[in-house]
Amino acid sequence: MGDRDAVLLTKSLMRFDTVNPPGRERDCARHAGALLKEWGFRVDYHEYEQTRTSLVARAGGTREAKPLCLTGHLDVVPLGSRAWTHDPFKGETDGDRLYGRGSSDMKAGVAAMLLACKALSKRLQNTPGVVLVLTAGEENGCIGSKHLAQSQLLGKAGAMVVGEPTSNYPFVGHKGSLKFHARFRGVSAHGSMPHLGVNAIYKAARVIPGLEAFDFGAQEHPVMGGPTLNVGTIEGGSTVNAVPDAAAIGVDIRTVPGMRHDALLERMKDLLGEAELDVFSDLPPVWTEPQQEWVQRVFEICKPYVGEAPQARTAPYMTDAANLLKVYDGAPTVVLGPGEPAMAHQTDEYCSMERVRQSVAIYEALIRDWCRV
Ligand SMILES: [Zn+2]
């Protein structure tokens, strides 16, 4: 079964094709759940759609103290259009490298979390305990964690570790994201008589300079820097010889702590005038003060593995933490996992097998520290 070693377990998780879309995390979730049950964990599953399975497992726990949450996602991104030189699912190795889709992002992280849970499972009784949250549907907008946060399954947690790829460097947060389509309507007419129509593309084009020059008026965050805005898509018209009656732009805003998404959306509405806004992602930033006491302990635990005292840094990507913190309100959070951030979503994705094994030791140390075992 390959559940004894972190590299073998990563390989066995990679063999489940959880490419999203369509996702199909169920078999992978059931596999992890069966192992956890064998190790004495209580396991609950949650499906937000057929085969889109997330899992919540716990061990230990007391009335007074909140558990430590370890979390990761089970889905992986598509293989991309470039050909792979290594099989994306078979777990081929070369030196220290383990190749495959999801090796870095983030089945290695999930495997390491599972094995750390296994190592300490017998000692968690009458301690604050551990809650392991493995999600479906992270890669297309953190949908699985959004649904989990609306269920009653998450319970409580006093701190959270997100096992996304960081080369075992503890990051203290990441930006938030606000993404929407702005849709413009016009009136169609023959391309030879444009004065009879209303051109929706012109309407969309008119607001774009305002977006490009948009001044957030927000202070720079000392670690994350400033917020950003990008117009990522533009669509409109159906043929060159007609006045287009519809056009849409896709806008991606990344926010920093202290910004309010509702206020920002109001400013966008003012700027975009009559456009219809369709918000499809609204996730707040995640940030824990690096001086926070538990974060300092995490830094201390990671120090030997990163070769220096960790500095306050944040991840460039989004994580499920943005949703899970809606339930685990105020829990200090770090993003910390064995994968290579630069390898996420790449052709010939790989991770370092050495780092995967090290991360088992790091997660174990974090559980020991939290549960005092
Ligand atoms: Zn990821």
Side-chain angles (χ1 to χ4, degrees):
M1 203 181 226
D3 61 9
R4 237 154 287 151
D5 172 84
V7 171
L8 292 176
L9 183 53
T10 305
K11 285 186 189 183
S12 76
L13 294 177
M14 282 198 305
R15 271 181 223 118
F16 293 95
D17 177 352
T18 56
V19 170
N20 177 14
R24 285 191 306 243
E25 296 88 346
R26 184 188 280 158
D27 290 347
C28 191
R30 295 270 167 186
H31 179 73
L35 293 173
L36 285 158
K37 276 185 188 162
E38 203 180 298
W39 304 333
F41 278 69
R42 307 181 290 284
V43 177
D44 289 302
Y45 296 101
H46 183 270
E47 292 199 343
Y48 71 87
E49 260 173 33
Q50 280 280 328
T51 78
R52 308 309 303 273
T53 313
S54 298
L55 164 166
V56 180
R58 44 189 106 237
T62 62
R63 223 172 260 278
E64 305 78 43
K66 294 174 183 172
L68 175 67
C69 174
L70 303 174
T71 183
H73 62 83
L74 298 172
D75 58 327
V76 299
V77 293
L79 301 181
S81 50
R82 273 176 54 208
W84 285 54
T85 61
H86 294 272
D87 188 290
F89 300 107
K90 288 201 176 117
E92 293 176 9
T93 60
D94 183 7
D96 181 47
R97 290 178 178 183
L98 169 63
Y99 286 91
R101 179 51 92 220
S103 52
S104 269
D105 186 14
M106 54 163 285
K107 285 176 172 169
V110 170
M113 286 180 162
L114 283 166
L115 289 188
C117 285
K118 181 193 181 195
L120 296 166
S121 58
K122 303 282 184 292
R123 299 163 65 178
L124 296 176
Q125 258 192 3
N126 301 315
T127 76
V130 169
V131 54
L132 180 66
V133 179
L134 302 181
T135 63
E138 191 272 347
E139 293 288 8
N140 57 343
C142 303
I143 295 172
S145 59
K146 180 179 163 191
H147 284 270
L148 267 183
Q150 290 158 357
S151 77
Q152 300 301 311
L153 291 176
L154 289 174
K156 291 177 176 166
M160 179 157 56
V161 183
V162 187
E164 294 276 7
T166 71
S167 307
N168 289 336
Y169 198 103
F171 291 157
V172 289
H174 54 75
K175 286 182 178 177
S177 109
L178 182 63
K179 300 195 188 90
F180 59 85
H181 288 115
R183 301 185 198 285
F184 299 83
R185 306 222 170 272
V187 177
S188 191
H190 194 278
S192 64
M193 294 172 275
H195 56 283
L196 297 179
V198 178
N199 191 316
I201 289 179
Y202 292 166
K203 286 187 181 180
R206 257 178 241 129
V207 303
I208 290 175
L211 289 169
E212 189 182 4
F214 187 73
D215 179 6
F216 286 94
Q219 282 195 324
E220 294 261 313
H221 185 270
V223 176
M224 293 186 196
T228 60
L229 183 154
N230 182 55
V231 176
T233 61
I234 179 158
E235 292 163 88
S238 51
T239 175
V240 73
N241 59 357
V243 176
D245 62 358
I249 54 175
V251 180
D252 177 357
I253 300 177
R254 304 299 171 112
T255 58
V256 300
M259 294 174 69
R260 286 187 38 206
H261 284 199
D262 52 353
L264 185 56
L265 209 51
E266 284 310 312
R267 288 192 61 198
M268 284 294 130
K269 283 179 186 162
D270 287 346
L271 184 78
L272 297 170
E274 65 178 76
E276 211 176 281
L277 259 57
D278 166 21
V279 177
F280 59 92
S281 173
D282 183 359
L283 293 162
V286 171
W287 170 253
T288 305
E289 289 296 335
Q291 287 75 34
Q292 198 274 342
E293 186 227 327
W294 174 73
V295 171
Q296 284 296 315
R297 294 194 333 250
V298 175
F299 280 11
E300 203 53 41
I301 286 168
C302 294
K303 196 169 151 184
Y305 300 97
V306 296
E308 56 179 25
Q311 308 292 308
R313 289 187 193 164
T314 50
Y317 44 71
M318 292 294 305
T319 77
D320 281 327
N323 280 324
L324 299 180
L325 284 169
K326 291 172 188 168
V327 179
Y328 299 150
D329 193 21
T333 298
V334 294
V335 185
L336 168 59
E340 304 301 321
M343 279 296 120
H345 305 193
Q346 299 295 314
T347 305
D348 284 328
E349 176 182 350
Y350 66 82
C351 65
S352 152
M353 291 190 274
E354 178 63 18
R355 278 212 235 279
V356 180
R357 294 190 174 108
Q358 284 175 349
S359 75
V360 182
I362 293 172
Y363 293 146
E364 270 189 46
L366 292 174
I367 297 171
R368 281 174 201 278
D369 168 79
W370 188 260
C371 299
R372 311 236 175 266
V373 292

